[in-house]
Amino acid sequence: MAELSQPATVLSVTDLTPHVRQLVVKPNRTKISFQPGQWVSLKLPIGPKPPLNRAYSMADLSSPSGELTLVFDRVLGGLGSNYLYQLKPGDEIPLSGPYGNFVLPQPLDRELLLIARYTGLVPIRCLLKQIFFAELQTPVLLIALAPHEEEVLFHQEWLTMAMQHRSFRYLPLVAQNGEAEAVEKAVAMLTPPVKGQPKVVPMLCGTKAFVRPLRTYFTEGGYDRKEVKVETYD
Ligand SMILES: Cc1cc2nc3c(=O)[nH]c(=O)nc-3n(C[C@H](O)[C@H](O)[C@H](O)COP(=O)(O)OP(=O)(O)OC[C@H]3O[C@@H](n4cnc5c(N)ncnc54)[C@H](O)[C@@H]3O)c2cc1C
């Protein structure tokens, strides 16, 4: 069940790319236990009618000490993300949670196809950590989109994962236009539909402009809408 709002203290601030930052925060009162793929709501003391609520997914598994790892990009002119960008260790932000259903399906008996753009990769990172921590043998294909080469998130981590786990395949793509089309081509090549074979489990995350055409691609390819798990950011 979601907890009431409580203050959380910023423990650390780390730049992951030129436009993506990580905050590790610790709720001051009650530990937030969450499932990988879930998010918390930050209550930011800004905007015309504060608080301004903004959702951020957990990038790392639940820790015994209750720290939460949040990762976000600086949206041009974005009120919330620019406020978060000026936080320093020791600052406090109210938050509540956890929320959300972008979690691994149970049982996980088919190949998992994870597709995300930019910070849409944040909950996916947490899901992948869950899969490999639990030593699940389910095959996983990750297609990770970035807007620029220097903005490829968690790249090194996933190269290492791909070397360590035979069941994991990782395809990074850099594109500023035609992202959905690039993904569709990759999906057709890497997980070609085979008649009579079970389908993959698609999980998509990012802004609507990225996620919606891909969901249509899967539903037009024979998937029920509810078989395609999506998390949209805007
Ligand atoms: C369930 C959920 C989980 C989320 N998890 C994360 C996360 O882990 N990391 C993260 O960076 N963001 C996440 N978001 C998005 C986040 O809540 C904010 O919307 C984002 O930081 C932009 O807020 P802002 O106030 O700076 O921008 P706003 O002033 O609200 O402007 C948003 C505008 O910027 C565009 N935009 C560009 N990039 C983004 C983006 N990354 N997210 C949203 N809109 C964008 C939108 O299309 C929209 O037009 C999540 C959103 C939801 C609903």
Side-chain angles (χ1 to χ4, degrees):
M1 207 179 86
E3 299 290 338
L4 293 176
S5 177
Q6 60 174 315
T9 304
V10 176
L11 300 184
S12 68
V13 177
T14 312
D15 284 328
L16 302 186
T17 73
H19 298 286
V20 176
R21 183 163 277 192
Q22 171 181 288
L23 291 184
V24 177
V25 304
K26 183 169 176 177
N28 293 356
R29 292 193 199 125
T30 315
K31 180 179 167 177
I32 292 182
S33 297
F34 63 90
Q35 292 184 65
Q38 289 192 302
W39 49 276
V40 286
S41 175
L42 304 193
K43 324 273 171 204
L44 309 176
I46 49 168
K49 273 204 214 159
L52 180 77
N53 293 313
R54 287 289 181 267
Y56 293 92
S57 310
M58 268 63 82
D60 210 342
L61 298 175
S62 195
S63 80
S65 53
E67 294 158 18
L68 304 173
T69 303
L70 309 178
V71 172
F72 53 94
D73 61 303
R74 186 171 209 160
V75 173
L76 194 66
L79 264 186
S81 55
N82 280 281
Y83 174 80
L84 293 178
Y85 245 84
Q86 50 80 47
L87 290 177
K88 301 177 297 305
D91 288 345
E92 288 191 352
I93 15 166
L95 52 72
S96 67
Y99 306 104
N101 298 312
F102 192 66
V103 297
L104 287 184
Q106 297 294 344
L108 189 52
D109 51 7
R110 287 178 281 153
E111 176 169 5
L112 194 59
L113 176 53
L114 304 172
I115 303 174
R117 181 187 175 276
Y118 206 23
T119 43
L121 290 160
V122 174
I124 300 277
R125 178 178 186 249
C126 203
L127 294 172
L128 281 170
K129 288 200 164 211
Q130 176 188 19
I131 290 167
F132 293 121
F133 187 74
E135 296 184 359
L136 300 179
Q137 297 307 314
T138 313
V140 181
L141 170 60
L142 168 66
I143 301 180
L145 268 288
H148 300 285
E149 275 175 26
E150 57 189 8
E151 296 290 326
V152 183
L153 266 186
F154 313 124
H155 181 58
Q156 199 50 50
E157 206 173 309
W158 286 327
L159 288 179
T160 306
M161 242 179 220
M163 290 204 301
Q164 289 173 342
H165 302 278
R166 289 168 60 89
S167 56
F168 178 59
R169 293 186 292 164
Y170 165 48
L171 177 69
L173 294 175
V174 176
Q176 281 160 18
N177 299 303
E179 293 156 315
E181 291 80 2
V183 172
E184 287 165 19
K185 274 191 202 149
V187 169
M189 203 169 65
L190 294 170
T191 62
V194 181
K195 216 172 173 203
Q197 293 261 323
K199 300 173 198 170
V200 298
V201 179
M203 293 185 76
L204 319 173
C205 186
T207 52
K208 284 176 186 156
F210 175 70
V211 166
R212 285 185 168 170
L214 287 172
R215 179 165 59 188
T216 304
Y217 169 80
F218 284 104
T219 52
E220 286 180 352
Y223 286 78
D224 286 342
R225 214 176 142 86
K226 62 177 182 313
E227 285 181 305
V228 185
K229 288 202 119 188
V230 301
E231 187 79 286
T232 49
Y233 275 6
D234 52 351

